[in-house]
Structure formats: C-alpha cells, structure tokens
Amino acid sequence: MAEQGAAGVASAVAESVQYQGRKTSRQGSEQRRQLILDAAMRIVVRDGVRGVRHRAVAAEAGVPLSATTYYFKDIEDLLTDTFAQYVERSADYMAKLWATSEGVLRQLLAQDDGSAASRTRLVDEIARMTADYVSRQLSNRRDFLMAEQAFRQEALLCPRLAELVRAHERILAQGARQMLQVIGSHHPEQDAQMLTAIIEQMEYQGLLEQTNRQADGQMLAILTRYLHLVLASV
C-alpha cells in the first residue's frame, strides 16, 4: 500500500480547501452564502462557466443582487469558491469510497498466492472495480462530472482554479497508484498517470454519449487489457 492511503489523501484535500469570498459568522449568513454557491453550481452544469454572472446567480438563488456582490467581490471569487466547494464535497465522497476500496484491496491481496492464475484473477477484479467506479460516476454523479469538465477548461485561464484542479486530481491519482502497487507495478507513479488519463477520457466520452451495456463492456475490456499490460511488464 502507498505510504499515505488514497482515503487519507482525499481527507487531506478536503481539509485544505480555502475559500476566497467574504467569511460569515452567523448561521443565516452562511446559509445565504451556501444558496449562492449552490445556485452558481447549477448554472455551471446547465449553461457552463460563462453563464455565471452576479445577476444570473442571484436570480437562480432567489436572493437580492446585492447579496452576491457582498459575499463575492468579483466573478473569479465566486467561481473559485464554487469549485472549492465542489472539491471539498468530492473529496469527502472519495475519502469514504477509498476507505471501502482499501479494505477490498487488502482482502484481494490476502487471497493472492503468487500463482499466475491468482494474479490474473486479482487484475481482473481490479479492472472490474475500476469500471464499476466509472459507471457509477456517470450514472449517479453526472452533474458533478459536467461541472468538473467546465472548471477544468476554465482552469487553463485561472491559476486559482488550476490549483484546485491539481488538488482534486491527486485524489484519483493516489487511488490509482495504490491499486497498481497491489498488482506489483514497478512504476506506480507513471502507470497511475496512464490509468487516470484512461478513466478521465472514459468519463468525458460517457458524458458525450449515453452509457449502455455495450459501452460498459468496452470500458471493462480496455481497463482489463491495460492492467494486464502493466502486469506483463513487472
């Protein structure tokens, strides 16, 4: 296992998130600020980042226009905090997911007797787990993935967003590195970069097209082939 598990990395990312907008001390003020951020996220999913404007967000949140400009002095602060909230929530979700996955990985590793057949079963099971993860993302967290794609594009122009994107990417990368260490990769960092790139491309393709059993089968076949190629090189 990695020195710091994927669940630990996810928790650390969640705790490290910092917001740029005006801080609140009263519960009512924090609730209004939360309404604004949630409204901005809905607009990002529906209309893209360029749809986020103070007036549009105020209308979506059902708050006065002055409220959005009070908490966020400009659109960059509003966008940064909207994505920061996404990263924090996503990191919390991933921490729970990886905590469960780490237990499964340990069980799989304990069943590996070192034989070729046993190692093949291990790799096949990890490929299935990874394919199931992508399928769940596309089925249950589609709006979040849409927002993530929008923020990734905007991060090319906004250094503060780019920092959050990198923090968010560390969560998936560490999980991939951990799984690859289980199957004995001699180059887990490089192999994890390849695996995360494959996963991200599958997510993007899944957003473009409706997922179906054929697509799920192809996704599993690609992941299985890649992981067996990693195994063949160790």
Side-chain angles (χ1 to χ4, degrees):
M1 294 294 179
E3 290 182 4
Q4 184 180 15
V9 169
S11 296
V13 169
E15 293 171 2
S16 70
V17 169
Q18 296 182 356
Y19 292 93
Q20 304 297 320
R22 186 187 294 269
K23 304 298 186 293
T24 60
S25 56
R26 294 183 303 172
Q27 183 177 0
S29 296
E30 180 56 29
Q31 289 175 344
R32 174 168 283 191
R33 181 177 178 277
Q34 192 67 60
L35 283 174
I36 293 169
L37 291 177
D38 289 342
M41 178 61 80
R42 290 195 298 272
I43 291 174
V44 170
V45 172
R46 187 178 65 234
D47 304 323
V49 169
R50 296 306 173 187
V52 177
R53 295 291 181 265
H54 281 298
R55 191 174 300 278
V57 173
E60 180 75 22
V63 301
L65 176 61
S66 59
T68 64
T69 55
Y70 172 78
Y71 291 109
F72 308 99
K73 68 178 186 298
D74 54 34
I75 293 299
E76 185 173 321
D77 273 358
L78 177 53
L79 284 173
T80 301
D81 278 11
T82 301
F83 189 51
Q85 177 180 265
Y86 167 81
V87 171
E88 184 176 27
R89 289 177 175 177
S90 181
D92 283 337
Y93 167 82
M94 292 297 289
K96 296 181 180 68
L97 177 65
W98 283 123
T100 301
S101 298
E102 286 168 9
V104 174
L105 288 174
R106 290 191 183 95
Q107 290 177 2
L108 291 173
L109 192 59
Q111 296 168 7
D112 180 18
D113 60 12
S115 68
S118 177
R119 186 50 56 102
T120 296
R121 287 194 298 270
L122 173 63
V123 174
D124 287 346
E125 182 61 22
I126 290 177
R128 186 195 61 77
M129 288 172 57
T130 307
D132 286 348
Y133 162 78
V134 178
S135 294
R136 287 195 304 272
Q137 288 284 93
L138 291 168
S139 298
N140 304 331
R141 306 184 79 243
R142 194 176 188 86
D143 284 356
F144 290 99
L145 291 182
M146 289 288 290
E148 185 178 320
Q149 291 291 340
F151 282 117
R152 282 178 180 274
Q153 183 67 27
E154 188 66 17
L156 298 175
L157 305 174
C158 178
R160 285 193 293 177
L161 281 178
E163 184 177 347
L164 285 167
V165 167
R166 286 192 291 269
H168 187 257
E169 286 179 340
R170 285 201 300 271
I171 301 171
L172 182 59
Q174 181 65 11
R177 177 173 180 256
Q178 188 166 300
M179 288 193 300
L180 289 161
Q181 284 181 315
V182 166
I183 66 172
S185 168
H186 289 170
H187 307 284
E189 292 288 350
Q190 294 91 329
D191 290 338
Q193 288 182 27
M194 287 293 297
L195 181 55
T196 54
I198 291 171
I199 291 172
E200 288 169 358
Q201 176 59 27
M202 287 177 170
E203 290 176 342
Y204 180 75
Q205 197 66 35
L207 292 173
L208 285 178
E209 304 170 0
Q210 292 296 324
T211 56
N212 51 54
R213 288 188 177 182
Q214 183 178 358
D216 288 347
Q218 183 180 26
M219 182 165 59
L220 177 58
I222 291 170
L223 289 166
T224 301
R225 173 169 169 74
Y226 171 71
L227 289 173
H228 277 286
L229 287 172
V230 171
L231 178 63
S233 67
V234 300

